[in-house]
Amino acid sequence: MAKPRIFISSTFYDLRQIRSDIDLFIEGLGYDPIRNEEGDIPYGKEDALEEYCYKEIKSVDILISIIGGRFGSESKRDNSSISQTELKTAIKENKQVYVFVEKNVLSEYETYLLNKENPINYKFVDNVKIYQFIEEIKNLKVNNNIKGFETASDITRYLKEQFAGLFQRFLEEQTKIKEVSLIMNLERTSQNLNKLVTFLSEQNKGQTEDINRILMINHPLIGALREKLNIPYNFYIEGVNDLMKLIEARGYSNSPDEAPWDDDYTWIKFSKNGTLKETLTISKKIFDEDNRLKYINKSNWDDNYISQSFLSIPSPKEDDLPF
């Protein structure tokens, strides 16, 4: 499993113990500390040794910069120290950095600001370039937070809080990523549907009648009529007139009791010997104001929209005959 790699940057001799304490703290969290004195940085023979430190920073996740009173070795790149160049490299690579400055140095930094134009001797640093570098960091727009410290415990306590905050922010961002992903998927689905609608519209220009015919052939009323009237072939109905002609062709006639204000259309049919009366009823709700059949999908279809009933009629007795 990948672990966060954390680079510890500072001068060595004056901050040796603090570097070691920070190393143990990072290992205790299960992360990988990177220290050049521990052989964590692979050195080659093509470049100066310090260049390999800067290259290693490109592959780490976090850099911890600890600034004390010693300037340290000067970088071959410029007039900065190696540890200062390490921090500048991390900032340039957009790495998460944490900067810690000894409290005495940080306090005397205020004296430096008051005497920049009048060079003086400083008590807690061996080179004024340390204060110049702190000023450079504070002038950055980002990654410019500086924390004072006296002991390694001050640093580890602060880092615990910061790492916990990073983890909590990570969890929040994961939730946001899921939300953004869902929104993007919905947008893509919407775009695809729009493209599909456009395509179908362009492909079916002038074919509206054919599409309506296909829809009506699959109308739930058609299936119900085929079942109740024993119709073996496909057909479609556009409106009440079509329905009337279809049903009358099957031997039905309008019920004489039907009134215009009734909620249903009613037809009756007698058997040849007159002993069976069949009644077929279809709701007017499935037709619009123009008496055209509404399209209703199967999930919205109500079986009560169409009903069929049979009534047996007893044969007349001989005494009842008129002759």
Side-chain angles (χ1 to χ4, degrees), residues 92-223:
K92 182 180 178 181
E93 294 293 329
N94 199 30
K95 302 295 181 179
Q96 177 69 51
V97 302
Y98 296 100
V99 183
F100 299 92
V101 180
E102 281 188 344
K103 281 191 174 180
N104 288 332
V105 175
L106 201 56
S107 296
E108 196 173 54
Y109 169 73
E110 301 299 328
T111 303
Y112 157 78
L113 293 177
L114 296 173
N115 294 276
K116 284 194 296 183
E117 305 302 326
N118 303 303
I120 62 173
N121 293 324
Y122 294 99
K123 179 179 180 180
F124 294 107
V125 299
D126 62 4
N127 194 319
V128 70
K129 290 181 179 179
I130 295 175
Y131 290 136
Q132 293 171 352
F133 184 62
I134 294 174
E135 184 177 16
E136 182 180 342
I137 295 171
K138 284 183 172 290
N139 287 332
L140 293 174
K141 293 182 179 180
V142 295
N143 262 347
N144 62 348
N145 183 44
I146 293 177
K147 189 72 175 176
F149 76 94
E150 290 181 345
T151 65
S153 295
D154 297 332
I155 296 176
T156 57
R157 188 182 307 111
Y158 182 77
L159 288 176
K160 280 182 182 179
E161 295 175 355
Q162 290 297 310
F163 291 169
L166 284 178
F167 183 63
Q168 194 273 339
R169 189 188 308 163
F170 167 79
L171 295 177
E172 283 187 352
E173 289 175 352
Q174 291 302 301
T175 301
K176 291 179 181 178
I177 288 173
K178 291 181 180 179
E179 293 174 351
V180 170
S181 178
L182 177 60
I183 292 172
M184 291 179 66
N185 287 335
L186 290 173
E187 289 178 349
R188 283 195 292 267
T189 301
S190 176
Q191 291 172 0
N192 290 336
L193 287 174
N194 287 335
K195 290 179 181 178
L196 179 60
V197 170
T198 301
F199 173 77
L200 291 175
S201 299
E202 292 176 352
Q203 292 295 315
N204 294 291
K205 284 180 180 178
Q207 301 180 26
T208 304
E209 183 178 346
D210 293 336
I211 294 173
N212 289 338
R213 185 179 295 114
I214 292 172
L215 291 175
M216 288 308 175
I217 288 175
N218 292 280
H219 196 289
L221 175 63
I222 304 303

Side-chain angles (χ1 to χ4, degrees), residues 305-318:
Y305 286 151
I306 179 171
S307 62
Q308 187 180 33
S309 63
F310 299 89
L311 176 65
S312 296
I313 301 175
S315 299
K317 296 179 182 181
E318 293 184 1

Side-chain angles (χ1 to χ4, degrees), residues 39-86:
D40 298 324
I41 300 173
Y43 293 103
K45 59 182 181 180
E46 292 83 9
D47 298 312
L49 295 181
E50 66 181 87
E51 291 298 327
Y52 294 97
C53 292
Y54 309 145
K55 290 178 181 179
E56 187 68 17
I57 289 171
K58 294 181 180 181
S59 65
V60 303
D61 301 292
I62 297 172
L63 180 134
I64 298 173
S65 176
I66 308 170
I67 300 174
R70 294 188 75 252
F71 179 73
S73 301
E74 188 172 282
S75 172
K76 297 183 183 301
R77 287 188 175 184
D78 50 35
N79 293 326
S80 301
S81 69
I82 291 176
S83 59
Q84 289 175 351
T85 305
E86 288 172 345

Side-chain angles (χ1 to χ4, degrees), residues 21-36:
D21 292 343
I22 301 300
D23 187 293
L24 291 174
F25 164 74
I26 293 172
E27 283 188 339
L29 294 176
Y31 306 159
D32 284 338
I34 307 299
R35 285 196 295 161
N36 59 2

